[in-house]
Amino acid sequence: EAEQEYVTALSLKKDSADNWFSLGRFYFFHGRFAEARPLVVTAAQLTASPINEYILLGFIDLMLHRPEAALLDFSKSEEAIRRWQGRANISPEIFAQIGEGRAQAYLASGQWQRAIESQREAVRRMPEDASRWQALARIYDEAGRTELAEQARQQAQALSKR
């Protein structure tokens, strides 16, 4: 089983950030958020540039209903990006994930305008991604901005047809 392989790899090389992250990601994708969190925290501590680790922690904290902690995680991923920039190209997808995660955290906190701004940033970073437009439409709907929601849905539909 995949889980056993990850556990074995970790037991053989406990100083590997990749091993901690892989098992944590496995648990995340299997809905085992409380188990995933300490593993990903350890991975973040072991890696020089914990960008992906903090993004995943943000989504874990969202699933654990901890939007304030998620916002802090997303800020830490941006700090890691600032330290790393110039040494590697950072994909727009990374920035879109941060924006989308922040949008979900603000939405969970009832901060509609900040949720809209964050999701718009995700769309700006990845304008060809229909799912990001669909997420923006849902946020607009929740904020009672039906005309903007419909425009975002139309954009998502147009992109899906390509």
Side-chain angles (χ1 to χ4, degrees):
E1 181 180 325
E3 179 180 8
Q4 191 54 50
E5 289 180 30
Y6 289 128
V7 169
T8 300
L10 183 57
S11 71
L12 295 173
K13 195 162 187 208
K14 289 190 184 286
D15 62 344
S16 168
D18 287 342
N19 289 346
W20 289 93
F21 186 73
S22 294
L23 182 58
R25 189 177 54 219
F26 176 85
Y27 286 158
F28 173 80
F29 285 115
H30 287 85
R32 296 165 63 180
F33 309 115
E35 292 171 89
R37 192 173 201 296
L39 298 168
V40 179
V41 166
T42 301
Q45 294 167 345
L46 290 172
T47 188
S49 180
I51 298 166
N52 291 318
E53 289 77 3
Y54 281 117
I55 290 172
L56 182 57
L57 279 172
F59 285 103
I60 290 169
D61 281 332
L62 284 171
M63 299 309 293
L64 292 172
H65 307 288
R66 300 176 53 202
E68 298 82 15
L71 289 169
L72 183 59
D73 297 328
F74 295 125
S75 291
K76 287 179 181 179
S77 68
E78 283 187 328
E79 289 171 26
I81 289 170
R82 280 191 289 279
R83 286 194 308 269
W84 198 249
Q85 273 182 328
R87 288 178 263 173
N89 286 334
I90 307 296
S91 164
E93 173 62 25
I94 295 290
F95 292 103
Q97 288 175 16
I98 293 168
E100 193 157 60
R102 279 195 171 124
Q104 291 178 26
Y106 287 130
L107 197 57
S109 301
Q111 298 180 55
W112 311 112
Q113 190 54 43
R114 293 185 91 176
I116 289 167
E117 291 165 7
S118 295
Q119 188 61 40
R120 287 179 63 151
E121 177 63 15
V123 165
R124 186 182 76 74
R125 296 289 187 156
M126 297 295 293
E128 302 299 311
D129 186 337
S131 69
R132 298 255 157 71
W133 284 97
Q134 194 61 42
L136 181 59
R138 282 191 301 275
I139 294 169
Y140 278 140
D141 275 334
E142 290 199 39
R145 299 176 75 179
T146 54
E147 187 176 316
L148 289 171
E150 186 53 37
Q151 290 173 10
R153 251 189 301 284
Q154 288 173 0
Q155 182 65 31
Q157 289 171 349
L159 288 169
S160 294
K161 291 178 183 175
R162 290 185 183 176

